Structure formats: C-alpha cells, structure tokens
Amino acid sequence: MLTPAGERVLSAASELFYQEGLNAVGVAAIAEAAGVTKKTLYASFGSKTELTIAYLRRRHDVWWAYLEERLAEAGAPRALTVFDAYVDHPKLGSDRGCAFLNAAAELPAGHPGLDVIRRHKAAVRAKFAELLREDAPGAADPERLAEQLFLLLEGAIAHTGIDGDAHRVTLAREIAEILMRDPREAGAR
C-alpha cells in the first residue's frame, strides 16, 4: 500500500515513463512532477529500478482490469475485444504504442522489469487462447490461432508507436476477424 506521496510519485512516473521513455526520465524530474523530494521518492520506492517495476505492474493491473471489464460486456468473438482494449483505454493512452514493448527496448538484459513484461505478454497470449477455446470450440488448434492473433496484435501495436495512431490495430483487428471466421481453417494454417 503506497502513501499518498508514493501514489503521486507512481502517477507522475507512469505519465513520464510512457511519454518520454524510461531512460530519458530521471528521478529528479519525477519527484518534481509529483511535488515531492527525491528523498520521498526513494523512501517510497528505494530505487528507480523498483519504481520502474511498480510502473509496469500498475500499467498491467490497470489495463487488465479494463480488459476484463470490456470482456464481461462483449459478445463472441471476444478475442476481438483484446484489440480494442489496447487502443481505447480512457486513462492509459496508446499514442506511443505498447508501454511494455517500449520498456523492453530500453531495459538492459537481466533487469527485473523484463520479468513483469514477459508475464504481461504471456497473460495476453493466454487470454487469447482462453477466449478462443470458449468462443470458437470448433477451432482445430486454438493455441496456434491464439499465437497468430497475439503476433498480429503485437506487430500492430508496435506500429502505433511509430505511426502515432492506431490505424494498424484497426487493420489487425479486421484480419483477426477474418482468421476467426472459420476457426477450423485459421487454426490449421
């Protein structure tokens, strides 16, 4: 449980890390944006590494809760909702692409933040597989189709950061819909 100052630090870091990048943002800028001292920042998180991990975990938790909410309201095929949730979260934004891919590009090998990123990506892929097993029980190979949709989404969201808009995610969603139209056919490819 974070203190109110810790919450302000995490909120400021989350905005700055996503908009400017992990390596471009120093603790002094985060502390200033949060209206706290560097001492308070370090008392709350211990290090920039720990703050980075907290940022990634928070981003996952907030996005995942939103995804689950959207899925609860969605009709089949719910796998398409995963594409939608990547680009239309009202608080996280997506104009710079995937926060996890961006962070992975900046973190050195062995950084503990990479484990958070790997768990997030594995959860997304597993969610695709779960949704396909439930919504397309006739799919010849829902695991393979889940992998195809996951890679389609990953490529499209990476280009959101390059292109500055989500038009490729919209196109990827259309392709996913085609792949899922005949689950026996799509899973067999």
Side-chain angles (χ1 to χ4, degrees), residues 37-145:
T37 63
K38 287 191 334 185
K39 182 179 178 181
T40 299
L41 182 149
Y42 284 117
S44 297
F45 294 96
S47 68
K48 185 177 177 184
T49 295
E50 291 302 316
L51 179 56
T52 299
I53 293 166
Y55 155 67
L56 293 168
R57 285 180 178 153
R58 173 70 57 91
R59 187 132 182 139
H60 169 81
D61 291 345
V62 169
W63 183 81
W64 199 264
Y66 177 70
L67 173 64
E68 292 292 347
E69 181 181 298
R70 293 286 309 271
L71 289 171
E73 299 169 356
R78 293 171 299 153
L80 296 175
T81 304
V82 180
F83 287 83
D84 300 336
Y86 256 78
V87 294
D88 66 4
H89 193 287
K91 295 179 185 172
L92 294 181
S94 63
D95 59 317
R96 295 211 59 239
C98 176
F100 298 97
L101 293 176
N102 294 343
E106 292 191 60
L107 295 176
H111 191 286
L114 291 170
D115 290 334
V116 178
I117 294 166
R118 286 182 192 106
R119 283 192 301 274
H120 170 77
K121 295 302 182 182
V124 172
R125 193 219 166 275
K127 181 57 77 173
F128 270 129
E130 172 191 325
L131 295 170
L132 290 167
R133 283 190 303 272
E134 292 173 5
D135 292 349
D141 190 349
E143 297 297 322
R144 182 173 173 83
L145 181 55

Side-chain angles (χ1 to χ4, degrees), residues 146-161:
E147 184 69 19
Q148 292 168 340
L149 297 184
F150 174 74
L151 292 173
L152 186 62
L153 175 63
E154 288 295 299
I157 200 69
H159 273 275
T160 299

